[in-house]
Amino acid sequence: MSAADSIVEDYEVFTNDRNAIAFFLMRHHALDENREKGPFLFAVQDGNNVVVGTEEHHAIFMNVTNEIIAKIKQRSAILLVEFEDQAPFRCTPCYLSPNSA
């Protein structure tokens, strides 16, 4: 699998007034190979890209806004919500990697 296969082309980010953050996306097959029980981490790379999953199998969200980057760093946790055929497929909590920029 190439690095390009990890990039999520279409996603939405939802937040609430307590800075909870969820990334909504279609099922991302790069994440299918991860073990079911994690741990799952995320890191901010190159200022505005968010890499989520494990070192081996991950998704990359490009060009995340500075506002969302600040919130995820503050909160240190996000939720990935994947959909397939318009139904929730997988919900994955992810925690800020100690190696994040």
Side-chain angles (χ1 to χ4, degrees):
M1 184 171 289
S2 72
D5 293 331
S6 295
I7 295 173
V8 179
E9 297 289 337
D10 189 27
Y11 66 93
E12 293 184 66
V13 180
F14 293 89
T15 65
N16 66 16
D17 58 354
R18 294 185 181 195
N19 288 340
I21 300 173
F23 283 71
F24 281 43
L25 63 151
M26 296 305 293
R27 180 179 179 181
H28 196 65
H29 293 285
L31 300 173
D32 288 347
E33 299 299 318
N34 283 325
R35 58 199 170 277
E36 192 172 313
K37 292 193 175 189
F40 304 106
L41 303 175
F42 73 89
V44 177
Q45 294 183 342
D46 301 325
N48 64 343
N49 300 328
V50 179
V51 180
V52 180
T54 65
E55 188 173 324
E56 299 84 18
H57 309 287
H58 51 271
I60 302 171
F61 298 93
M62 306 288 289
N63 302 314
V64 177
T65 67
N66 291 335
E67 177 184 4
I68 296 299
I69 295 293
K71 286 181 180 183
I72 64 175
K73 284 182 175 182
Q74 177 187 20
R75 183 69 180 209
S76 299
I78 61 175
L79 180 65
L80 290 187
V81 182
E82 294 175 84
F83 290 85
E84 186 171 67
D85 298 326
Q86 297 184 326
F89 173 75
R90 177 171 43 215
C91 294
T92 308
C94 301
Y95 303 94
L96 184 63
S97 169
N99 301 324
S100 185

XYZ file of all heavy atoms in Angstrom:
803
model
N 0.846 -1.171 0.000
C 0.000 0.000 0.000
C 0.890 1.232 0.000
O 1.795 1.361 0.804
C -0.895 -0.040 1.241
C -1.885 1.086 1.298
S -3.096 0.897 2.625
C -4.059 -0.442 1.986
N 0.626 2.160 -0.890
C 1.445 3.368 -0.990
C 0.948 4.422 -0.014
O -0.152 4.331 0.530
C 1.382 3.912 -2.420
O 0.119 4.491 -2.665
N 1.761 5.437 0.184
C 1.382 6.537 1.068
C 0.110 7.219 0.567
O -0.729 7.653 1.359
C 2.517 7.541 1.187
N -0.048 7.287 -0.741
C -1.248 7.907 -1.311
C -2.513 7.152 -0.920
O -3.580 7.749 -0.786
C -1.131 7.997 -2.823
N -2.412 5.836 -0.726
C -3.567 5.041 -0.323
C -4.041 5.397 1.081
O -5.174 5.106 1.447
C -3.246 3.544 -0.371
C -3.024 3.050 -1.788
O -3.608 3.633 -2.728
O -2.255 2.090 -1.945
N -3.182 6.004 1.868
C -3.545 6.369 3.237
C -4.278 7.701 3.316
O -4.923 7.998 4.320
C -2.283 6.439 4.112
O -1.693 5.168 4.213
N -4.198 8.507 2.277
C -4.809 9.840 2.303
C -6.324 9.726 2.187
O -6.853 9.045 1.312
C -4.247 10.723 1.181
C -2.756 10.974 1.435
C -5.012 12.035 1.081
C -2.044 11.692 0.317
N -7.013 10.406 3.089
C -8.476 10.474 3.062
C -8.855 11.694 2.242
O -8.566 12.831 2.624
C -9.049 10.580 4.495
C -10.575 10.687 4.449
C -8.605 9.401 5.337
N -9.486 11.462 1.117
C -9.842 12.546 0.199
C -11.058 13.341 0.668
O -11.126 14.549 0.470
C -10.102 11.988 -1.201
C -8.896 11.327 -1.837
C -7.806 12.306 -2.239
O -8.106 13.493 -2.440
O -6.655 11.863 -2.355
N -12.028 12.661 1.257
C -13.297 13.305 1.610
C -13.621 13.004 3.070
O -13.785 11.824 3.435
C -14.401 12.783 0.690
C -15.700 13.545 0.839
O -15.676 14.731 1.222
O -16.759 12.939 0.578
N -13.695 14.035 3.886
C -14.008 13.859 5.306
C -14.638 15.125 5.849
O -14.549 16.191 5.244
C -12.742 13.502 6.101
C -11.698 14.596 6.162
C -11.671 15.503 7.225
C -10.725 14.725 5.174
C -10.704 16.507 7.284
C -9.769 15.713 5.231
C -9.760 16.603 6.293
O -8.811 17.593 6.362
N -15.294 14.984 6.986
C -15.854 16.122 7.712
C -15.398 16.030 9.150
O -15.227 14.937 9.688
C -17.382 16.110 7.653
C -17.944 16.360 6.269
C -19.459 16.442 6.294
O -19.986 17.402 6.896
O -20.084 15.533 5.736
N -15.215 17.181 9.766
C -14.825 17.238 11.166
C -15.954 17.891 11.943
O -16.445 18.951 11.558
C -13.518 18.037 11.360
C -13.127 18.073 12.827
C -12.405 17.454 10.515
N -16.358 17.232 13.034
C -17.406 17.759 13.898
C -16.827 18.030 15.273
O -16.048 17.225 15.794
C -18.564 16.758 14.008
C -19.297 16.583 12.707
C -18.891 15.618 11.797
C -20.370 17.398 12.393
C -19.552 15.460 10.592
C -21.034 17.243 11.181
C -20.630 16.276 10.280
N -17.213 19.161 15.844
C -16.793 19.515 17.200
C -18.018 19.935 17.992
O -19.085 20.191 17.432
C -15.777 20.669 17.200
O -16.408 21.843 16.695
C -14.560 20.351 16.356
N -17.840 20.015 19.317
C -18.910 20.550 20.148
C -18.336 21.610 21.086
O -17.152 21.936 21.004
C -19.656 19.443 20.909
C -18.795 18.746 21.931
O -17.725 19.224 22.327
N -19.237 17.588 22.388
N -19.161 22.132 21.979
C -18.713 23.217 22.844
C -17.747 22.770 23.936
O -17.223 23.585 24.679
C -19.904 23.957 23.448
C -20.824 23.067 24.248
O -20.627 21.839 24.267
O -21.761 23.608 24.856
N -17.486 21.483 24.038
C -16.499 20.960 24.992
C -15.230 20.482 24.290
O -14.432 19.752 24.855
C -17.102 19.826 25.802
C -18.228 20.288 26.704
C -18.688 19.169 27.557
N -19.777 19.621 28.406
C -20.195 18.973 29.445
N -19.630 17.831 29.789
N -21.176 19.444 30.164
N -15.080 20.883 23.037
C -13.921 20.550 22.210
C -13.772 19.061 21.907
O -12.667 18.601 21.601
C -12.624 21.106 22.799
C -12.541 22.603 22.650
O -13.222 23.190 21.824
N -11.723 23.234 23.467
N -14.859 18.293 21.978
C -14.819 16.921 21.475
C -14.743 17.007 19.952
O -15.367 17.870 19.338
C -16.047 16.149 21.908
N -13.973 16.119 19.352
C -13.743 16.188 17.911
C -13.919 14.811 17.295
O -13.364 13.827 17.785
C -12.335 16.716 17.605
C -12.196 18.118 18.204
C -12.052 16.717 16.118
C -10.831 18.684 18.138
N -14.664 14.761 16.198
C -14.860 13.512 15.462
C -14.595 13.772 13.979
O -15.046 14.778 13.425
C -16.272 12.988 15.657
N -13.845 12.872 13.376
C -13.611 12.889 11.940
C -14.550 11.858 11.329
O -14.490 10.681 11.683
C -12.158 12.513 11.631
C -11.167 13.606 11.889
C -10.851 14.000 13.177
C -10.526 14.233 10.825
C -9.925 14.995 13.420
C -9.593 15.235 11.058
C -9.292 15.620 12.360
N -15.427 12.278 10.425
C -16.348 11.390 9.727
C -15.802 11.134 8.325
O -15.421 12.073 7.619
C -17.732 12.040 9.615
C -18.555 11.964 10.870
C -18.018 12.212 12.119
C -19.896 11.645 10.798
C -18.789 12.149 13.267
C -20.675 11.576 11.936
C -20.116 11.826 13.172
N -15.794 9.869 7.925
C -15.262 9.487 6.630
C -15.897 8.184 6.187
O -16.472 7.456 6.987
C -13.741 9.328 6.710
C -13.198 8.233 7.628
C -11.866 7.721 7.097
C -13.006 8.759 9.053
N -15.763 7.897 4.901
C -16.188 6.598 4.404
C -15.174 5.561 4.875
O -14.038 5.902 5.202
C -16.279 6.613 2.872
C -17.345 7.568 2.333
S -19.000 7.265 3.004
C -19.353 5.675 2.302
N -15.584 4.297 4.902
C -14.674 3.225 5.334
C -13.327 3.389 4.638
O -13.258 3.548 3.415
C -15.272 1.869 4.995
C -14.377 0.721 5.423
C -15.008 -0.591 5.103
N -14.152 -1.695 5.495
C -14.476 -2.955 5.296
N -15.634 -3.259 4.722
N -13.655 -3.905 5.680
N -12.288 3.377 5.443
C -10.934 3.588 4.919
C -10.171 2.273 5.035
O -9.781 1.863 6.122
C -10.254 4.705 5.706
C -9.047 5.245 5.042
N -9.088 5.907 3.844
C -7.756 5.205 5.404
C -7.871 6.262 3.499
N -7.037 5.843 4.438
N -9.990 1.610 3.911
C -9.439 0.256 3.910
C -8.014 0.169 4.461
O -7.596 -0.895 4.912
C -9.537 -0.356 2.514
C -10.963 -0.604 2.115
N -11.709 -1.642 2.638
C -11.785 0.072 1.283
C -12.918 -1.604 2.136
N -12.995 -0.577 1.315
N -7.285 1.263 4.471
C -5.946 1.246 5.067
C -6.012 0.924 6.559
O -5.057 0.420 7.136
C -5.249 2.583 4.848
N -7.158 1.185 7.193
C -7.317 0.921 8.627
C -7.800 -0.494 8.929
O -7.778 -0.924 10.083
C -8.285 1.936 9.245
C -7.859 3.400 9.122
C -8.975 4.314 9.622
C -6.568 3.652 9.858
N -8.221 -1.228 7.908
C -8.787 -2.566 8.114
C -7.796 -3.558 8.718
O -8.198 -4.499 9.397
C -9.304 -3.147 6.795
C -10.577 -2.471 6.314
O -11.200 -1.736 7.095
O -10.929 -2.691 5.136
N -6.516 -3.366 8.467
C -5.502 -4.316 8.933
C -5.104 -4.121 10.394
O -4.366 -4.920 10.948
C -4.271 -4.234 8.040
C -4.542 -4.579 6.591
C -5.063 -5.995 6.419
O -4.567 -6.923 7.071
O -6.005 -6.175 5.616
N -5.565 -3.050 11.016
C -5.215 -2.803 12.415
C -5.901 -3.799 13.329
O -7.021 -4.244 13.063
C -5.612 -1.379 12.834
C -4.639 -0.357 12.308
O -3.449 -0.625 12.218
N -5.149 0.811 11.960
N -5.234 -4.124 14.427
C -5.855 -4.986 15.422
C -7.061 -4.249 16.014
O -7.095 -3.024 16.038
C -4.848 -5.379 16.494
C -4.238 -4.192 17.204
C -2.944 -4.560 17.920
N -2.267 -3.368 18.384
C -1.479 -2.594 17.651
N -1.270 -2.881 16.390
N -0.908 -1.535 18.158
N -8.018 -4.988 16.470
C -9.279 -4.400 16.905
C -9.158 -3.537 18.158
O -9.878 -2.565 18.319
C -10.303 -5.515 17.147
C -11.705 -5.002 17.310
C -12.711 -6.131 17.341
O -12.621 -7.028 16.481
O -13.576 -6.093 18.226
N -8.234 -3.877 19.050
C -8.193 -3.194 20.341
C -7.071 -2.176 20.497
O -6.747 -1.811 21.613
C -8.104 -4.231 21.454
C -9.372 -5.044 21.568
C -9.404 -5.832 22.826
C -10.749 -6.530 22.951
N -10.926 -7.147 24.227
N -6.468 -1.730 19.426
C -5.509 -0.639 19.520
C -4.241 -0.975 20.271
O -3.904 -2.131 20.405
N -3.541 0.008 20.747
C -3.937 1.418 20.868
C -3.853 2.133 19.523
O -3.046 1.787 18.672
C -2.907 1.990 21.843
C -1.689 1.179 21.604
C -2.184 -0.207 21.258
N -4.706 3.135 19.365
C -4.733 3.940 18.161
C -4.331 5.361 18.530
O -4.855 5.930 19.475
C -6.119 3.906 17.519
C -6.565 2.497 17.243
C -7.535 1.902 18.015
C -5.981 1.764 16.221
C -7.926 0.595 17.779
C -6.365 0.449 15.969
C -7.346 -0.130 16.756
N -3.407 5.898 17.767
C -2.847 7.206 18.060
C -3.041 8.138 16.878
O -3.322 7.705 15.772
C -1.352 7.079 18.361
C -0.967 6.149 19.500
C 0.547 6.029 19.591
C -1.550 6.629 20.817
N -2.862 9.433 17.129
C -2.799 10.392 16.043
C -1.648 11.339 16.293
O -1.217 11.534 17.428
C -4.129 11.144 15.850
C -4.433 12.171 16.901
C -3.993 13.481 16.766
C -5.175 11.843 18.019
C -4.293 14.429 17.738
C -5.483 12.771 18.984
C -5.037 14.080 18.844
N -1.133 11.888 15.215
C -0.039 12.849 15.280
C -0.291 13.945 14.253
O -0.877 13.698 13.203
C 1.291 12.167 14.999
N 0.144 15.130 14.594
C 0.085 16.250 13.664
C 1.443 16.318 12.980
O 2.479 16.347 13.647
C -0.229 17.564 14.405
C -0.206 18.738 13.443
C -1.575 17.462 15.126
N 1.416 16.319 11.652
C 2.662 16.377 10.883
C 2.612 17.525 9.896
O 1.549 17.830 9.344
C 2.897 15.067 10.136
C 3.143 13.898 11.048
C 3.435 12.626 10.273
O 3.153 12.511 9.088
N 4.012 11.653 10.966
N 3.743 18.143 9.685
C 3.873 19.241 8.718
C 2.878 20.360 8.979
O 2.361 20.977 8.042
C 3.728 18.719 7.282
C 4.771 17.667 6.946
O 5.910 17.795 7.441
O 4.443 16.722 6.207
N 2.547 20.587 10.231
C 1.702 21.718 10.605
C 0.217 21.496 10.515
O -0.520 21.865 11.414
N -0.276 20.879 9.429
C -1.731 20.768 9.291
C -2.215 19.428 8.732
O -3.323 19.336 8.231
C -2.273 21.914 8.443
C -1.768 21.871 7.019
O -0.803 21.201 6.695
N -2.423 22.618 6.150
N -1.396 18.399 8.825
C -1.824 17.058 8.429
C -1.952 16.201 9.680
O -1.098 16.257 10.556
C -0.822 16.423 7.464
C -0.657 17.243 6.195
O -1.584 17.883 5.741
N 0.533 17.234 5.647
N -3.006 15.414 9.742
C -3.243 14.558 10.903
C -3.162 13.108 10.448
O -3.891 12.692 9.542
C -4.623 14.857 11.549
C -4.865 13.951 12.736
C -4.702 16.331 11.981
N -2.263 12.358 11.069
C -2.067 10.941 10.765
C -2.685 10.153 11.911
O -2.356 10.373 13.072
C -0.568 10.598 10.622
C -0.385 9.120 10.309
C 0.072 11.469 9.546
N -3.599 9.231 11.578
C -4.406 8.538 12.578
C -4.348 7.033 12.358
O -4.438 6.568 11.225
C -5.882 8.997 12.468
C -6.750 8.303 13.474
C -5.985 10.502 12.627
N -4.214 6.273 13.433
C -4.238 4.809 13.361
C -3.050 4.225 14.079
O -2.787 4.545 15.233
N -2.311 3.376 13.376
C -1.075 2.803 13.912
C 0.046 3.151 12.947
O -0.203 3.634 11.830
C -1.175 1.271 14.058
O -1.309 0.689 12.754
C -2.340 0.853 14.946
N 1.263 2.888 13.356
C 2.393 3.180 12.482
C 2.293 2.404 11.171
O 2.601 2.916 10.098
C 3.699 2.844 13.200
C 4.932 3.303 12.442
C 6.198 3.116 13.239
O 6.176 3.297 14.470
O 7.221 2.782 12.613
N 1.813 1.167 11.250
C 1.730 0.325 10.065
C 0.535 0.633 9.172
O 0.618 0.562 7.953
C 1.657 -1.160 10.468
C 2.843 -1.657 11.243
C 2.744 -1.352 12.742
O 1.636 -1.060 13.231
O 3.778 -1.399 13.414
N -0.619 0.931 9.767
C -1.870 1.111 9.015
C -2.560 2.369 9.535
O -3.052 2.389 10.661
C -2.780 -0.099 9.178
C -2.095 -1.389 8.891
N -1.771 -1.791 7.609
C -1.635 -2.362 9.709
C -1.153 -2.953 7.655
N -1.053 -3.328 8.921
N -2.631 3.383 8.684
C -3.142 4.661 9.144
C -3.868 5.410 8.025
O -3.806 5.035 6.864
C -2.003 5.517 9.706
C -0.846 5.632 8.763
N 0.195 4.728 8.764
C -0.578 6.508 7.761
C 1.063 5.069 7.837
N 0.614 6.133 7.202
N -4.532 6.456 8.452
C -5.204 7.367 7.534
C -4.559 8.739 7.704
O -4.134 9.095 8.805
C -6.698 7.449 7.844
N -4.501 9.495 6.627
C -3.915 10.829 6.678
C -4.973 11.836 6.234
O -5.510 11.741 5.129
C -2.685 10.943 5.765
C -1.632 9.895 6.164
C -2.112 12.361 5.822
C -0.478 9.785 5.188
N -5.242 12.782 7.110
C -6.157 13.879 6.808
C -5.292 15.093 6.485
O -4.571 15.599 7.348
C -7.077 14.173 7.997
C -7.949 13.006 8.354
C -7.552 12.093 9.324
C -9.157 12.805 7.724
C -8.341 11.010 9.663
C -9.957 11.721 8.038
C -9.555 10.828 9.013
N -5.367 15.548 5.246
C -4.533 16.652 4.780
C -5.246 17.986 4.999
O -6.474 18.063 4.963
C -4.236 16.486 3.285
C -3.622 15.145 2.901
S -1.933 14.936 3.415
C -1.125 16.065 2.306
N -4.459 19.017 5.219
C -4.947 20.395 5.261
C -6.050 20.623 6.289
O -7.046 21.294 6.017
C -5.420 20.835 3.871
C -4.316 20.729 2.854
O -3.190 21.143 3.101
N -4.615 20.134 1.711
N -5.878 20.076 7.470
C -6.818 20.309 8.568
C -6.630 21.754 9.031
O -5.495 22.244 9.110
C -6.568 19.307 9.719
C -7.477 19.572 10.901
C -6.745 17.878 9.201
N -7.711 22.430 9.339
C -7.618 23.845 9.705
C -6.827 24.041 10.994
O -6.781 23.161 11.861
C -9.009 24.478 9.890
O -9.640 23.899 11.033
C -9.880 24.303 8.654
N -6.234 25.208 11.121
C -5.474 25.543 12.330
C -6.352 25.480 13.571
O -5.892 25.081 14.646
C -4.840 26.923 12.205
C -3.726 26.945 11.183
O -3.112 25.924 10.891
N -3.462 28.116 10.627
N -7.609 25.870 13.449
C -8.541 25.826 14.579
C -8.729 24.382 15.066
O -8.668 24.111 16.266
C -9.896 26.413 14.168
C -10.930 26.351 15.255
C -12.291 26.847 14.803
O -12.465 27.177 13.607
O -13.188 26.883 15.649
N -8.932 23.456 14.158
C -9.099 22.045 14.537
C -7.787 21.485 15.098
O -7.800 20.759 16.094
C -9.602 21.209 13.340
C -10.998 21.676 12.903
C -9.598 19.720 13.670
C -12.077 21.535 13.961
N -6.657 21.830 14.488
C -5.363 21.366 15.003
C -5.191 21.809 16.453
O -4.788 21.011 17.314
C -4.195 21.871 14.123
C -4.261 21.276 12.722
C -2.852 21.598 14.799
C -4.014 19.782 12.625
N -5.490 23.053 16.750
C -5.355 23.556 18.126
C -6.268 22.784 19.079
O -5.854 22.426 20.192
C -5.670 25.050 18.177
N -7.483 22.500 18.642
C -8.429 21.770 19.498
C -7.987 20.330 19.751
O -8.099 19.838 20.866
C -9.830 21.782 18.884
C -10.526 23.115 19.011
C -11.921 23.070 18.418
C -12.607 24.407 18.551
N -13.975 24.376 18.051
N -7.484 19.650 18.718
C -7.100 18.259 18.944
C -5.853 18.166 19.810
O -5.706 17.227 20.581
C -6.955 17.439 17.642
C -5.833 17.940 16.758
C -8.264 17.376 16.897
C -5.588 17.090 15.518
N -4.974 19.134 19.698
C -3.794 19.142 20.575
C -4.208 19.405 22.022
O -3.674 18.793 22.938
C -2.788 20.179 20.114
C -2.011 19.760 18.889
C -0.988 20.820 18.512
C -0.105 20.386 17.378
N 0.919 21.408 17.055
N -5.163 20.299 22.201
C -5.641 20.612 23.546
C -6.388 19.424 24.148
O -6.168 19.048 25.295
C -6.570 21.828 23.516
C -7.153 22.162 24.863
C -8.207 23.258 24.769
O -8.766 23.525 23.702
N -8.482 23.891 25.882
N -7.239 18.813 23.383
C -8.080 17.719 23.866
C -7.303 16.404 23.987
O -7.596 15.578 24.834
C -9.277 17.550 22.921
C -10.275 16.517 23.298
C -11.033 16.916 24.519
N -11.990 15.868 24.836
C -13.116 16.056 25.431
N -13.462 17.262 25.794
N -13.905 15.062 25.689
N -6.356 16.181 23.094
C -5.511 14.978 23.061
C -6.264 13.699 22.717
O -5.754 12.607 22.932
C -4.762 14.777 24.388
O -3.916 15.866 24.645
N -7.463 13.830 22.191
C -8.239 12.656 21.783
C -9.197 13.056 20.666
O -9.734 14.167 20.664
C -9.025 12.088 22.954
N -9.369 12.133 19.718
C -10.349 12.323 18.654
C -11.075 11.001 18.439
O -10.638 9.953 18.919
C -9.705 12.790 17.326
C -8.712 11.750 16.804
C -9.046 14.149 17.483
C -8.131 12.078 15.436
N -12.174 11.066 17.714
C -12.925 9.871 17.360
C -13.004 9.799 15.847
O -13.347 10.794 15.192
C -14.331 9.927 17.950
C -15.227 8.729 17.665
C -14.667 7.469 18.334
C -16.641 9.000 18.155
N -12.658 8.646 15.296
C -12.865 8.391 13.876
C -14.179 7.653 13.733
O -14.400 6.639 14.404
C -11.783 7.488 13.304
C -10.383 8.006 13.138
C -9.546 6.958 12.396
C -10.339 9.302 12.405
N -15.046 8.124 12.858
C -16.315 7.452 12.588
C -16.346 7.145 11.098
O -16.447 8.047 10.273
C -17.522 8.316 13.003
C -18.817 7.561 12.747
C -17.417 8.758 14.455
N -16.222 5.857 10.792
C -16.227 5.418 9.395
C -17.617 4.909 9.024
O -18.282 4.260 9.833
C -15.213 4.294 9.184
C -13.777 4.727 9.368
C -12.840 3.558 9.258
O -12.480 3.195 8.119
O -12.480 2.997 10.315
N -18.011 5.198 7.796
C -19.310 4.772 7.289
C -19.114 3.883 6.069
O -18.159 4.031 5.317
C -20.149 5.992 6.883
C -20.608 6.807 8.042
C -19.800 7.792 8.585
C -21.854 6.585 8.609
C -20.218 8.548 9.666
C -22.284 7.336 9.688
C -21.464 8.310 10.217
N -20.064 2.958 5.904
C -20.113 2.131 4.701
C -21.583 1.960 4.346
O -22.397 1.616 5.205
C -19.442 0.781 4.944
C -19.342 -0.059 3.691
C -18.475 -1.288 3.906
O -18.885 -2.174 4.677
O -17.399 -1.338 3.291
N -21.921 2.207 3.086
C -23.314 2.127 2.637
C -24.235 2.954 3.521
O -25.308 2.519 3.921
C -23.783 0.668 2.590
C -22.973 -0.162 1.608
O -22.551 0.390 0.567
O -22.753 -1.350 1.891
N -23.791 4.145 3.875
C -24.547 5.127 4.657
C -24.867 4.664 6.083
O -25.742 5.214 6.732
C -25.821 5.553 3.930
C -25.517 6.250 2.615
C -26.761 6.755 1.938
O -27.817 6.153 2.014
N -26.618 7.882 1.272
N -24.165 3.667 6.572
C -24.356 3.195 7.945
C -23.012 3.233 8.663
O -21.964 3.012 8.046
C -24.899 1.765 7.949
N -23.026 3.522 9.959
C -21.761 3.497 10.707
C -21.104 2.126 10.589
O -21.776 1.099 10.695
C -22.183 3.778 12.146
C -23.510 4.430 12.039
C -24.156 3.862 10.813
N -19.805 2.118 10.338
C -19.070 0.872 10.178
C -18.112 0.634 11.346
O -18.050 -0.443 11.902
C -18.291 0.890 8.862
C -17.376 -0.276 8.686
C -17.884 -1.526 8.367
C -16.007 -0.149 8.853
C -17.052 -2.623 8.219
C -15.161 -1.237 8.715
C -15.688 -2.478 8.396
N -17.362 1.680 11.710
C -16.356 1.522 12.761
C -16.158 2.870 13.441
O -16.039 3.892 12.770
C -15.053 1.034 12.117
C -13.894 0.869 13.014
C -12.693 0.181 12.354
N -12.397 0.625 11.003
C -11.939 -0.177 10.041
N -11.723 -1.451 10.270
N -11.680 0.289 8.831
N -16.125 2.857 14.767
C -15.830 4.048 15.564
C -14.560 3.767 16.363
O -14.508 2.799 17.118
C -16.976 4.374 16.515
S -18.479 4.846 15.665
N -13.557 4.609 16.174
C -12.251 4.348 16.753
C -11.771 5.557 17.549
O -11.535 6.618 16.965
C -11.225 4.048 15.643
O -11.736 3.026 14.785
C -9.897 3.627 16.221
N -11.600 5.417 18.858
C -10.994 6.504 19.625
C -9.478 6.503 19.374
O -8.850 5.440 19.304
C -11.315 6.156 21.071
C -11.522 4.683 21.063
C -12.023 4.309 19.702
N -8.919 7.690 19.215
C -7.482 7.829 18.966
C -6.932 8.888 19.910
O -7.571 9.903 20.157
C -7.224 8.251 17.526
S -7.877 7.102 16.298
N -5.721 8.663 20.375
C -5.110 9.534 21.380
C -3.832 10.149 20.827
O -3.133 9.543 20.032
C -4.840 8.731 22.653
C -6.117 8.112 23.156
C -6.461 6.822 22.813
C -7.021 8.876 23.883
C -7.671 6.262 23.236
C -8.230 8.338 24.300
C -8.545 7.026 23.970
O -9.754 6.500 24.359
N -3.542 11.355 21.269
C -2.393 12.088 20.803
C -1.101 11.326 21.077
O -0.841 10.921 22.212
C -2.335 13.472 21.465
C -1.223 14.405 20.991
C -1.382 14.750 19.517
C -1.234 15.676 21.833
N -0.318 11.124 20.055
C 0.961 10.433 20.183
C 1.946 11.309 20.941
O 1.999 12.530 20.716
C 1.526 10.117 18.796
O 2.851 9.680 18.879
N 2.738 10.730 21.808
C 3.745 11.524 22.497
C 4.784 12.100 21.537
O 5.489 13.043 21.870
C 4.409 10.541 23.462
C 3.806 9.217 23.237
C 2.723 9.342 22.223
N 4.841 11.588 20.306
C 5.796 12.058 19.306
C 5.210 13.097 18.363
O 5.849 13.461 17.387
C 6.316 10.882 18.481
C 6.989 9.846 19.346
O 7.649 10.190 20.316
N 6.808 8.587 19.018
N 3.990 13.568 18.630
C 3.327 14.512 17.740
C 4.022 15.869 17.789
O 4.529 16.298 18.824
C 1.856 14.674 18.118
O 1.208 15.496 17.180
N 3.989 16.551 16.640
C 4.599 17.887 16.553
C 3.812 18.907 17.326
O 2.649 18.803 17.547
C 4.685 18.294 15.091
